[in-house]
Amino acid sequence: MEAAMGLMRRMPPKHSETALSALLSLLPDHSSDLLSQVDQPLQVLFDEESGKEFISCEYNRDADSYRSPWSNKYHPPLEDALYPPAELRKLEIEANEVFAIYRDQYYEGGISSVYMWEDDNEGFVACFLIKKDGSKTAQGRRGHLEEGAWDAIHVIEVAPEEEGIARYCLTSTVMLSLTTDHESSGTFSLSGSIRRQMNMDLSVSEGHLCNMGKMIEEMEGKLRNSLDQVYFGKTKEMVCTLRPPSEVIMRLPDSTGLRKGDASIR
């Protein structure tokens, strides 16, 4: 199991589904652990009743059906399915409305879904999902990418309140993949994933949703900076080292000319 998790951490996101399927065939006894611990690129389904798209993943799956956060119904229909209690469902509806505004402001589109359920410690768990297709044939408004996808998964475990204070444990994963195909630069592909955790004890006077929103906003800022430094920064450094830009080459001293000058002096 440890070797399988190590392999999945090193697998490009666009190949993770194929790799996971192969591991499930090799390790059928660990299928539940693999499905619960391995994050895969998010998929999208359509809720005909609400007329909206929603994200399907392990966090809203029951058997082979997926629950829509808009209509609270499973697709395809499922008998004896699991649903959040009334109070938690009310918070889930509000979270989906607020998170849709957050998505539009930060991502300029995309699809978001929020799911909540009770845990075994009298608290609850909330999962905030965002999927943005940045390819020029989909939601890419600038048209620079041939293919591009951003999948963000934020899972927050909320412990029971104690004297007006609740403990929040946030685990965030971002999977990024992009491909460019331009005449000046050729074909370039970059993909990877990053995961971080954050724990905070916060007052619930402003409500759970406000606290969770602040944590997600702060975490996404850190993740974007890490991706910029690790993936784009290191890639740019390597490319410029192997293939210096023309303006850098022009500033390099002409070693041949120096040798000629030395010879003429002598």
Side-chain angles (χ1 to χ4, degrees):
M1 184 63 189
E2 183 178 350
M5 293 302 298
L7 175 65
M8 291 303 303
R9 281 194 295 269
R10 292 163 176 81
M11 190 65 58
K14 62 181 180 180
H15 296 150
S16 62
E17 190 173 352
T18 302
L20 180 60
S21 178
L23 287 175
L24 291 173
S25 300
L26 292 172
L27 304 170
D29 295 338
H30 296 281
S31 58
S32 59
D33 292 331
L34 285 170
L35 290 171
S36 62
Q37 296 183 35
V38 175
D39 292 316
Q40 302 180 68
L42 303 172
Q43 306 298 320
V44 177
L45 296 177
F46 184 74
D47 184 354
E48 294 183 358
E49 181 172 324
S50 65
K52 296 181 179 180
E53 292 178 311
F54 67 96
I55 295 175
S56 62
C57 63
E58 283 300 306
Y59 300 105
N60 67 323
R61 183 176 70 89
D62 190 352
D64 294 325
S65 298
Y66 297 89
R67 183 172 65 88
S68 166
W70 309 113
S71 64
N72 202 32
K73 294 184 178 180
Y74 279 85
H75 302 265
L78 180 68
E79 295 183 2
D80 300 325
L82 297 175
Y83 294 93
E87 284 298 318
L88 203 56
R89 171 59 184 163
K90 182 180 178 181
L91 182 62
E92 183 183 78
I93 293 173
E94 184 181 0
N96 274 282
E97 295 173 351
V98 173
F99 205 52
I101 299 173
Y102 171 89
R103 175 205 67 209
D104 288 336
Q105 291 180 342
Y106 277 88
Y107 290 87
E108 298 181 350
I111 301 169
S112 64
S113 295
V114 181
Y115 303 102
M116 298 185 183
W117 63 94
E118 292 181 308
D119 65 8
D120 298 330
N121 300 317
E122 298 183 355
F124 69 93
V125 183
C127 178
F128 295 77
L129 308 169
I130 291 180
K131 184 176 184 66
K132 176 65 183 288
D133 185 350
S135 62
K136 63 183 181 182
T137 58
Q139 300 162 350
R141 298 187 180 181
R142 297 175 179 85
H144 296 311
L145 299 178
E146 192 71 21
E147 296 178 3
W150 173 286
D151 295 316
I153 304 172
H154 305 283
V155 179
I156 304 180
E157 300 175 41
V158 183
E161 299 178 27
E162 293 184 4
E163 299 180 355
I165 303 294
R167 183 167 183 80
Y168 301 84
C169 179
L170 168 63
T171 302
S172 297
T173 303
V174 168
M175 290 171 281
L176 171 69
S177 62
L178 58 88
T179 301
T180 62
D181 188 5
H182 195 272
E183 183 178 353
S184 61
S185 61
T187 302
F188 174 78
S189 180
L190 177 69
S191 63
S193 63
I194 187 170
R195 173 181 287 191
R196 294 289 185 270
Q197 284 189 326
M198 176 192 297
N199 296 318
M200 298 185 72
D201 294 322
L202 301 172
S203 169
V204 297
S205 59
E206 295 183 349
H208 289 300
L209 188 56
C210 182
N211 291 337
M212 292 188 290
K214 291 178 180 178
M215 291 181 68
I216 290 174
E217 186 176 24
E218 180 180 346
M219 177 63 82
E220 286 214 326
K222 293 179 179 179
L223 291 173
R224 280 191 291 269
N225 290 335
S226 296
L227 285 169
D228 183 50
Q229 296 171 6
V230 174
Y231 289 106
F232 296 102
K234 290 296 183 182
T235 300
K236 183 178 180 180
E237 180 181 344
M238 291 174 61
V239 171
C240 290
T241 301
L242 297 172
R243 301 176 61 184
S246 57
E247 60 269 19
V248 175
I249 296 176
M250 293 297 292
R251 291 197 297 267
L252 295 176
D254 187 348
S255 58
T256 304
L258 288 174
R259 284 198 296 270
K260 288 180 180 180
D262 292 343
S264 62
I265 291 174
R266 288 194 295 268

